[in-house]
Amino acid sequence: MKAPNCKTALYEAQRALLLDAASLVRRRYVRAAGGDHSLAPEAAERLANILEGLARAEPALDKLDRDEAIALAHRLIDDDHPENSRMWPA
C-alpha cells in the first residue's frame, strides 16, 4: 500500500471545505434558510462563487488570499463570526 501524498491530501481537504462553505453560504444567505438576512443574497452568491472558484483553482482568482478563504470557510461552517473575515462582503 502506497502512503498518501500529504500535500495532495491537504489540498483535497481544503477543496472540499471551500465547496462545503460555498454550499452553506447559498443555503444560509441566498435562500435565507433559517431567516438569516445579515448578508444580501447577491453578495452571498458572489461569495459562494468565489469560494467555489478558489476550490477549483481558477486562474482569475490567483490574487485572492487562499488561506483567508480557508479561514472564512472554517468560520462559516462553525458559525463563528464569519463577518470578521477580510473576505466577507461589506
Side-chain angles (χ1 to χ4, degrees), residues 16-35:
L17 175 71
L18 290 166
L19 292 173
D20 286 347
S23 175
L24 185 138
V25 165
R26 285 197 175 95
R27 271 194 319 274
R28 188 180 293 166
Y29 301 102
V30 176
R31 295 184 214 128

Side-chain angles (χ1 to χ4, degrees), residues 7-20 66:
K7 195 171 189 176
T8 302
L10 174 62
Y11 183 82
E12 285 303 314
Q14 291 172 339
R15 181 181 174 282
L17 175 71
L18 290 166
L19 292 173
D20 286 347
R66 184 176 173 87

Side-chain angles (χ1 to χ4, degrees), residues 25-63:
V25 165
R26 285 197 175 95
R27 271 194 319 274
R28 188 180 293 166
Y29 301 102
V30 176
R31 295 184 214 128
D36 195 330
H37 299 284
S38 60
L39 185 61
E42 299 81 17
E45 184 62 35
R46 282 193 307 273
L47 178 59
N49 288 337
I50 288 170
L51 292 171
E52 286 177 342
L54 287 168
R56 293 187 196 105
E58 292 180 6
L61 301 174
D62 281 347
K63 293 184 182 196

Side-chain angles (χ1 to χ4, degrees), residues 58-86:
E58 292 180 6
L61 301 174
D62 281 347
K63 293 184 182 196
L64 292 180
D65 186 347
R66 184 176 173 87
D67 291 336
E68 180 66 25
I70 291 165
L72 173 58
H74 280 287
R75 285 179 167 167
L76 283 163
I77 290 171
D78 292 342
D79 199 19
D80 185 28
H81 300 287
E83 67 276 3
N84 292 335
S85 170
R86 292 180 310 221

